[in-house]
Amino acid sequence: MAPSRPLPSPDALPPYTNLWAYRKRFAEAAPILMYHKVGSPPFGTRFRGLYLPTWLLARQLCEWKSAGWTSVSLEEFIEPAVPMRRRVGLTFDDGYASLHEEALPLLREIGFRAIVFLIADRIGGSNDWDTAIGEKPAALMDRTQIQEWIEAGQEIGGHTLSHPSLVRLTLPEARREIVDGKKKLEDLFGRSIDHFSYPYGDWNPQIRDLVAEAGYRTACTVERGINQVGDDPFLLRRIMACRPPRTLRTLFGLMPG
């Protein structure tokens, strides 16, 4: 079964690099940024775009802070009455240990809040869904690290039991991944898990309905764009954060300042 995704949004945006380039569009509605791994990719990494250098994450967060923006929970994207101004949602998929090591100190220092979407059966493990296709292994946060993340005021969300493409499963299999993943996280950490991210961004109307039926309140896709008032909270668009391409024009802007 192939993924069923919406047509590209008229407000679709390229990957996020810096606030200045997007200031006009972000004045219309609050963006949700998507991150994965923080730090430098090891030699031989296939998906280098999933890494953001620590210094660049720091620069991005400082840009938001200095411009007077604040971070908000995904809860704020459930039927907002008016467009949110100077608000940004920060999301991290998969729960890599580099978030605890590199991102959490920055979030603490700057006073921003983020959510990490966890794979319930892979806590303390590694990205076996990627290593199966030749990617380098990367450690995922263990239970202690996740608990420290929570105690620091950060949020956790669901990302299934094992990170499958949900649209390639039978509906009973997909339901188990969604429902049991939610319950396992709630049992482990003693809190309601209200927000979800579709692995690989793969969804269709049936999968979307399963997520809603499981008791989640929002779900994030990988569709690029900003979310307008009245948009479906189970099909939230995000913008992947990355570094600008290495060209002569951007070389100096890429260097740590």
Side-chain angles (χ1 to χ4, degrees):
M1 186 188 304
S4 176
R5 295 176 175 172
L7 294 173
S9 166
D11 63 351
L13 296 169
Y16 177 81
T17 53
N18 61 76
L19 183 57
W20 178 256
Y22 302 83
R23 64 198 185 283
K24 291 183 179 179
R25 301 309 303 273
F26 288 176
E28 301 170 9
I32 302 174
L33 298 189
M34 174 174 58
Y35 298 88
H36 287 81
K37 305 168 186 176
V38 181
S40 300
F43 179 77
T45 296
R46 290 188 63 187
F47 307 119
R48 297 178 67 86
L50 296 183
Y51 283 84
L52 189 78
T54 305
W55 65 262
L56 187 51
L57 174 62
R59 174 175 289 183
Q60 290 180 354
L61 295 178
C62 286
E63 283 183 329
W64 295 106
K65 184 74 171 181
S66 63
W69 287 60
T70 58
S71 59
V72 294
S73 168
L74 294 179
E75 197 75 18
E76 302 296 325
F77 289 84
I78 301 173
E79 298 182 355
V82 295
M84 290 185 286
R85 307 297 186 190
R86 292 187 177 273
R87 303 288 188 270
V88 59
L90 303 174
T91 67
F92 291 84
D93 282 9
D94 304 333
Y96 290 98
S98 62
L99 274 62
H100 180 270
E101 299 159 1
E102 305 290 339
L104 183 55
L106 294 174
L107 292 167
R108 278 174 168 157
E109 179 180 352
I110 295 172
F112 272 18
R113 189 180 192 187
I115 185 169
V116 57
F117 296 109
L118 300 170
I119 304 153
D121 276 352
R122 299 296 182 268
I123 291 172
S126 64
N127 55 331
D128 59 359
W129 62 93
D130 279 340
T131 57
I133 55 173
E135 179 60 298
K136 293 291 184 180
L140 300 173
M141 284 196 286
D142 60 27
R143 188 171 175 178
T144 299
Q145 291 170 321
I146 295 168
Q147 192 62 49
E148 291 175 358
W149 172 271
I150 294 169
E151 291 171 358
Q154 308 303 324
E155 294 186 273
I156 62 173
H159 204 38
T160 71
L161 282 171
S162 64
H163 202 285
S165 171
L166 292 170
V167 299
R168 301 182 184 280
L169 303 180
T170 65
L171 286 182
E173 290 171 338
R175 181 180 290 107
R176 176 178 175 273
E177 285 280 345
I178 295 166
V179 173
D180 290 5
K182 183 178 192 295
K183 184 178 186 305
K184 185 168 185 176
L185 291 177
E186 289 175 339
D187 290 346
L188 282 173
F189 298 105
R191 61 187 49 238
S192 177
I193 302 298
D194 297 326
H195 308 289
F196 184 79
S197 173
Y198 301 100
Y200 306 107
D202 290 346
W203 67 274
N204 60 32
Q206 293 78 20
I207 297 300
R208 181 250 179 239
D209 290 346
L210 287 179
V211 172
E213 290 166 9
Y216 283 105
R217 292 175 55 78
T218 72
C220 287
T221 71
V222 297
E223 304 298 330
R224 285 209 301 265
I226 52 179
N227 300 283
Q228 305 291 347
V229 172
D231 283 352
D232 190 334
F234 291 96
L235 297 176
L236 293 177
R237 300 183 183 92
R238 294 185 289 176
I239 304 168
M240 185 169 179
C242 69
R243 65 189 306 160
R246 288 182 176 273
T247 65
L248 290 176
R249 186 176 180 181
T250 62
L251 178 61
F252 293 104
L254 281 171
M255 298 303 292

